[in-house]
Amino acid sequence: MTTHFPRRILIAPSGFKESLDANAVAAAISAGVRRVLPGAIIRTMPIADGGEGTAATLATSTGGHLVDCDVTGPTGEPVAAHFAMLGGPSQGTAVVEMAAAAGLRLVPRDQRDPGLTTTYGVGQLIAAALDQGAEHILVGCGDSGTSDGGAGALQALGARVLDAEGREVPRGGANLAHAAHLDLSSLHPRLREVDITLALNPHNVLTGERGVARVFGPQKGATPEQVEQLSAALENWAAVLERDCLPQARNVDFATGAGTGASGGLGAGLAAIGARLTPRFEALLDSGLAGIDFDAALADSELVITAEGAIDYQSPRGKVPAEVARRAADHGIPVVAVCGTLGKGARDVYDIGIGAMNSLVSGPMSLQEAVDHGEELLVDAVENLMRTLTLGAAMVQ
């Protein structure tokens, strides 16, 4: 008896940070599949996660384009950034990737103090998208190097953060300890006409023991003393936002509401002017804003191949392969995964619906070698995985 091997294959990877973006990963996986199954019906659907590469991934997948902008970076120095104007059914939607203007990679290691960095450049990108005529703005929250509660972004959009004497509060989260009033009277005029949706991790909250200062402050360079100072400053900021937010945001819990701590509190800051805080995969895959109908693609597939740079104990907690596997399970479709490295706890992904996985590191090599030859190694790894799968299918009698 011959066994049917899946021929309709959906390729749905994330990018490999510092190596291959999601589009390049999808192309390499497709090439590896075709070495073994040249007649396969392949659909590629790179998955953005809100972090680095989100704007480029969605611009490519929708036939849109990137718009280059020079903005104020997280340390106050100018940086070259961009946002995307999407095409196809998502025409009119702009994608602002906060990491492009305020990502951790833009903060030199010797300047990593989250009490001083700013999201001002993120607000500049949003303003540029408004000036470009965007009708909807989707903000990807991920890979941030800031913890200023979104105050910088608000300032770039025309808001004024004032102390008790009516003086402008300097940029940076630590300075929010002196914030007494948020003046929203001079916001960018088009903000009244445009919906803003943040794609974020809803588990991140602004204040408290699980707040951004204590959870992410040390990762962004804060000392224990700076963590406590920043935590107190953000608690004060939450109170200011609650008192001075726009009327449509009156029901937001700025201190501990879901997603308020996304990207160092950018969620809370933009929520104050009416932005919607939305779980990232709901925003990126279900809302229609990003031009992706992932569930429809799944329904027409027999096998899904996903990927990420590292598979480890964190993968089941909201990473792209976990989300792909969860959705595929609803359709009864098997999922396999490839990755750059297999880390501690990688076997946990079997419990979330990934049936098999393979690393592109085929032998002893340095991280730099793996990065430099990532595309070639990925094609080979997928070929090996597909040969194993087809051999297994052929042995079933």
Side-chain angles (χ1 to χ4, degrees), residues 178-244:
H178 308 294
H181 177 54
L182 177 64
D183 179 359
L184 298 175
S185 62
S186 298
L187 286 174
H188 193 296
R190 288 210 65 235
L191 283 170
R192 295 190 296 268
E193 308 166 7
V194 173
D195 293 328
I196 299 178
T197 299
L198 273 63
L200 47 73
N201 183 341
H203 299 293
N204 293 342
V205 300
L206 185 63
T207 67
E209 289 304 313
R210 299 302 301 166
V212 296
R214 292 194 170 92
V215 174
F216 298 107
Q219 299 175 20
K220 297 175 182 179
T223 65
E225 181 180 4
Q226 289 170 330
V227 165
E228 294 308 313
Q229 292 172 344
L230 182 58
S231 180
L234 291 175
E235 288 177 7
N236 179 61
W237 180 235
V240 172
L241 292 175
E242 182 176 356
R243 185 179 62 246
D244 294 339

Side-chain angles (χ1 to χ4, degrees), residues 3-325:
T3 301
H4 169 73
F5 188 83
R7 292 280 169 171
R8 298 195 307 277
I9 299 173
L10 174 63
I11 297 172
S14 67
F16 290 9
K17 285 184 171 53
E18 299 183 10
S19 179
L20 302 170
D21 65 25
N23 293 300
V25 171
I29 294 174
S30 180
V33 171
R34 292 206 181 279
R35 285 184 180 179
V36 181
L37 299 171
I41 301 170
I42 296 174
R43 180 171 182 177
T44 59
M45 186 170 283
I47 304 297
D49 66 0
E52 289 183 15
T54 291
T57 295
L58 295 178
T60 299
S61 64
T62 62
H65 62 279
L66 293 179
V67 179
D68 294 327
C69 295
D70 292 328
V71 301
T72 299
T75 64
E77 297 295 321
V79 298
H82 58 264
F83 65 91
M85 293 299 297
L86 303 188
S90 294
Q91 190 168 2
T93 295
V95 177
V96 170
E97 172 191 316
M98 83 82 59
L104 186 60
R105 67 174 180 82
L106 298 174
V107 185
R109 290 192 176 275
D110 61 356
Q111 297 182 48
R112 291 192 174 175
D113 179 351
L116 297 179
T117 49
T118 178
T119 54
Y120 195 87
V122 180
Q124 289 177 303
L125 287 182
I126 293 173
L130 292 170
D131 293 340
Q132 191 82 6
E135 299 171 4
H136 307 276
I137 296 179
L138 178 61
V139 181
C141 297
D143 302 320
S144 75
T146 56
S147 295
D148 73 345
L154 291 176
Q155 289 168 321
L157 289 167
R160 300 173 68 214
V161 181
L162 306 174
D163 66 14
E165 304 299 324
R167 296 170 300 198
E168 293 274 358
V169 172
R171 297 173 196 167
N175 291 315
L176 295 175
H178 308 294
H181 177 54
L182 177 64
D183 179 359
L184 298 175
S185 62
S186 298
L187 286 174
H188 193 296
R190 288 210 65 235
L191 283 170
R192 295 190 296 268
E193 308 166 7
V194 173
D195 293 328
I196 299 178
T197 299
L198 273 63
L200 47 73
N201 183 341
H203 299 293
N204 293 342
V205 300
L206 185 63
T207 67
E209 289 304 313
R210 299 302 301 166
V212 296
R214 292 194 170 92
V215 174
F216 298 107
Q219 299 175 20
K220 297 175 182 179
T223 65
E225 181 180 4
Q226 289 170 330
V227 165
E228 294 308 313
Q229 292 172 344
L230 182 58
S231 180
L234 291 175
E235 288 177 7
N236 179 61
W237 180 235
V240 172
L241 292 175
E242 182 176 356
R243 185 179 62 246
D244 294 339
C245 65
L246 292 182
Q248 59 265 40
R250 295 294 183 202
N251 63 342
V252 175
D253 176 357
F254 290 99
T256 60
T260 53
S263 293
L266 180 67
L270 293 183
I273 59 172
R276 291 193 299 269
L277 309 187
T278 308
R280 58 182 172 176
F281 292 117
E282 181 181 325
L284 293 166
L285 299 180
D286 296 334
S287 69
L289 290 175
I292 293 176
D293 192 343
F294 188 69
D295 287 335
L298 276 174
D300 193 40
S301 303
E302 298 174 290
L303 173 68
V304 179
I305 304 176
T306 187
E308 71 172 328
I311 289 181
D312 56 24
Y313 70 95
Q314 298 184 76
S315 297
R317 299 176 175 88
K319 294 296 188 72
V320 166
E323 183 67 15
V324 168

